Amino acid sequence: MTANSLLKNLLNIKEATVDSFDFDENAQGEPTLVVHVHVRRKDRWRCPVCGRKCNVHDYVCAEAFWRSMDFGPVAVRIGATVPRVTCPEHGVATAAVPWAKPGSRFTTDFAFAAAWMVKGGLSKKKVAEHLRIDWDTVGRLVDLVWHELEPDVKKRFDGLVRIGIDETSYRKGHSYITIVVNHDTNTVVWAHKGHGKEVLDLFFNELTPQQRESLLVVTGDGARWITDSMKQYCPNADRCVDPFHVVEWANDALDSVRLDSWRRARIALLDLQRKAREAKKSKTDGQDGLRSEIKEAKKAVEELKNSKYALGKNEENLTERQRERLSMIQAEDGPLARGHRLKERLKAVFALKDPDLSEEYLDKWIRSAQHCRIAAIVELQRKIRRHRTNILNTIRFGLSNARIEATNNKIKLLLRIAYGFRNIDTMISLVMLFCSSIEIPWPGRMRKTPANKGVK
């Protein structure tokens, strides 16, 4: 095998002919192999948009260079003189080359290697350091790979039946993206900057009337904008409110009750301390009794202050210390103890497998909460009463937003991997590529398909 044939195979540029090669140094003084090539006659010159063979317009451009995958510690660049062509449809543009995408100065193999590393868990900074490129370039290469592997993202809309909708923050300062997950494939089908009805309407407008008609179940939190958008675009679909968010509402209400109890206990403590100071000043009897009461009151204040997690956790996950705090609260049988019992009863509703029995228990819970004389819990039952049908739909279909919450965790991981980026479009490309079933092959290796799955 000649050196030219070896380079063609190593660089995966079989559509080109190697003219020459030489060693050079880059701006950092590192050794660089520069391979000069020209495109074979049958593969040139094509429009970068439609791929049609076109007539040459001019050769005003000097030799251009593309960064290829390294040979060990040696960086590799491919150089070629590429003319501008005249396309009947798209006008004058620089001709496409077979080893790189239009507008990119990196070979397709190089882009796939960068995306493969990012999906493998390497941080954007580490990938940039290893490949000796700018870290913003990593995001652009990931975007290029996504569009290469999935040129028509709307194919994800085919066969949608059960979807989950949620928003997640991607930056401090109330910066959100809205994501839509297909429950049946556990993949993200759509993502967009912002949240609210106007953003979600963009998703429904991208669906065809038949695709909107095929939607049967939509899960999400209790946000009104999800309900309003559903009523407008898919009124026949069943709306489900995720059990996680319903229990979260209950925990928030219970924490409000805990804070009220803590404030009352603290006021009682301050009152005892005032009485103790007055007794000490007047030298009256009963100071020892007050000291004992103050000690007990301080303990109660401290226990209430640190009982948030004990009140919110599942019983099987409680630590010994948290069990003691919970026992102390339940022994008092005050508003906080009653609120905790109601919260646990609400959680038990979702554990029932029989929808009819769940409906009966939920209605009983609503009546109990309505007459509990705890303001935060009464307000909670009003909210649950408004979402009663959607909660029962959740139990009937056995769906939750657990998958979409798991996707949110993946997105948070991507944010840590891509620490420092500022381009929201790049971040959405990361989400769409990595929260899907798309496989990123290492350059030169066989992609896993049903026919070759398991072949190495």
Side-chain angles (χ1 to χ4, degrees):
M1 178 181 286
T2 64
N4 289 354
S5 298
L6 178 63
L7 287 172
K8 284 175 59 175
N9 282 276
L10 290 175
L11 297 175
N12 194 20
I13 51 173
K14 298 175 183 178
E15 301 87 350
T17 300
V18 176
D19 295 324
S20 62
F21 55 89
D22 55 71
F23 275 92
D24 198 355
E25 289 186 350
N26 59 18
Q28 289 75 36
E30 298 170 334
T32 302
L33 173 64
V34 182
V35 181
H36 304 276
V37 304
H38 68 268
V39 181
R40 293 187 305 185
R41 183 179 297 276
K42 69 175 185 177
D43 295 307
R44 59 180 177 182
W45 297 109
R46 298 183 180 276
C47 172
V49 180
C50 62
R52 177 189 301 177
K53 294 196 76 170
C54 304
N55 295 324
V56 174
H57 181 75
D58 56 35
Y59 275 90
V60 298
C61 301
E63 185 178 29
F65 294 91
W66 290 263
R67 176 74 185 280
S68 184
M69 295 181 67
D70 296 346
F71 287 173
V74 179
V76 179
R77 293 196 300 164
I78 298 174
T81 302
V82 182
R84 294 194 300 172
V85 295
T86 303
C87 176
E89 183 178 354
H90 301 104
V92 177
T94 302
V97 293
W99 55 82
K101 294 301 173 185
S104 175
R105 287 304 176 193
F106 299 88
T107 65
T108 304
D109 283 351
F110 189 94
F112 269 78
W116 188 90
M117 290 178 183
V118 174
K119 189 167 185 178
L122 281 179
S123 71
K124 198 173 176 184
K125 182 178 179 181
K126 287 296 182 183
V127 174
E129 181 181 339
H130 177 73
L131 296 178
R132 292 179 282 195
I133 55 177
D134 185 82
W135 67 346
D136 286 334
T137 303
V138 177
R140 290 192 291 269
L141 293 177
V142 169
D143 185 69
L144 184 150
V145 169
W146 173 44
H147 287 94
E148 169 72 8
L149 294 175
E150 191 174 31
D152 184 12
V153 71
K154 289 190 176 182
K155 287 185 177 180
R156 298 192 187 198
F157 302 155
D158 296 336
L160 285 181
V161 177
R162 305 185 300 173
I163 62 172
I165 300 169
D166 199 9
E167 77 276 356
T168 184
S169 63
Y170 66 91
R171 191 188 300 165
K172 291 181 179 178
H174 302 286
S175 298
Y176 292 91
I177 60 170
T178 299
I179 59 173
V180 179
V181 170
N182 184 348
H183 278 294
D184 296 316
T185 61
N186 193 24
T187 57
V188 173
V189 297
W190 188 82
H192 199 280
K193 180 183 178 182
H195 71 293
K197 185 178 183 301
E198 292 183 357
V199 174
L200 187 56
D201 287 351
L202 297 175
F203 165 69
F204 284 115
N205 284 324
E206 289 190 37
L207 301 179
T208 64
Q210 293 77 17
Q211 288 170 335
R212 290 198 291 266
E213 195 68 29
S214 69
L215 288 175
L216 300 181
V217 181
V218 178
T219 67
D221 57 21
R224 181 170 294 181
W225 53 271
I226 297 178
T227 304
D228 292 342
S229 196
M230 278 185 60
K231 287 180 179 178
Q232 181 177 350
Y233 293 96
C234 51
N236 296 325
D238 289 307
R239 171 84 156 92
C240 296
V241 173
D242 180 51
F244 170 83
H245 290 95
V246 177
V247 175
E248 188 177 45
W249 299 342
N251 282 329
D252 290 342
L254 186 61
D255 195 52
S256 177
V257 178
R258 180 188 66 84
L259 289 173
D260 289 340
S261 297
W262 174 78
R263 292 187 187 101
R264 286 194 298 270
R266 191 166 180 272
I267 291 171
L269 172 62
L270 293 174
D271 188 51
L272 286 172
Q273 289 174 334
R274 179 185 57 79
K275 288 180 180 179
R277 288 194 298 271
E278 291 175 353
K280 184 178 181 180
K281 191 178 294 184
S282 60
K283 297 181 180 180
T284 58
D285 296 334
Q287 292 185 37
D288 292 339
L290 282 172
R291 288 193 191 98
S292 178
E293 289 183 33
I294 289 172
K295 186 177 180 180
E296 291 297 323
K298 281 184 177 179
K299 182 180 178 182
V301 169
E302 191 65 23
E303 293 296 329
L304 287 170
K305 181 180 179 181
N306 298 313
S307 62
K308 179 177 180 179
Y309 295 109
L311 291 166
K313 287 174 72 173
N314 293 328
E315 185 178 355
E316 62 272 16
N317 297 329
L318 292 171
T319 65
E320 191 62 35
R321 190 74 186 90
Q322 289 170 340
R323 289 181 189 277
E324 292 176 4
R325 285 177 180 154
L326 202 55
S327 298
M328 189 257 327
I329 291 170
Q330 292 169 345
E332 296 293 329
D333 198 30
L336 185 56
R338 286 185 282 126
H340 181 261
R341 286 195 293 270
L342 284 168
K343 190 266 291 186
E344 291 298 314
R345 284 176 55 190
L346 180 62
K347 285 173 59 178
V349 171
F350 294 103
L352 298 172
K353 303 301 182 184
D354 185 351
D356 294 331
L357 192 60
S358 298
E359 182 176 3
E360 179 185 343
Y361 271 63
L362 182 62
D363 290 339
K364 284 182 179 179
W365 184 93
I366 290 173
R367 288 194 295 271
S368 299
Q370 186 178 11
H371 299 96
C372 70
R373 294 179 296 174
I374 305 172
I377 303 298
V378 172
E379 184 60 35
L380 171 65
Q381 70 84 23
R382 292 195 186 104
K383 189 172 186 178
I384 289 178
R385 189 190 293 271
R386 290 195 300 269
H387 293 280
R388 176 182 176 277
T389 301
N390 300 337
I391 292 172
L392 292 174
N393 283 340
T394 300
I395 299 170
R396 180 160 58 94
F397 291 108
L399 286 176
S400 72
N401 256 27
R403 283 181 172 175
I404 203 167
E405 293 300 331
T407 300
N408 286 344
N409 289 335
K410 286 184 181 179
I411 293 173
K412 299 298 183 187
L413 177 61
L414 289 174
L415 293 177
R416 289 195 292 272
I417 290 174
Y419 177 76
F421 75 90
R422 291 293 181 268
N423 191 327
I424 181 62
D425 295 329
T426 298
M427 194 202 71
I428 289 176
S429 296
L430 285 167
V431 172
M432 296 297 289
L433 182 58
F434 298 155
C435 299
S436 70
S437 57
I438 298 175
E439 180 189 350
I440 303 176
W442 183 261
R445 294 184 186 173
M446 188 182 297
R447 294 182 63 187
K448 290 181 181 179
T449 62
N452 60 34
K453 191 173 181 181
V455 178
K456 296 182 180 179

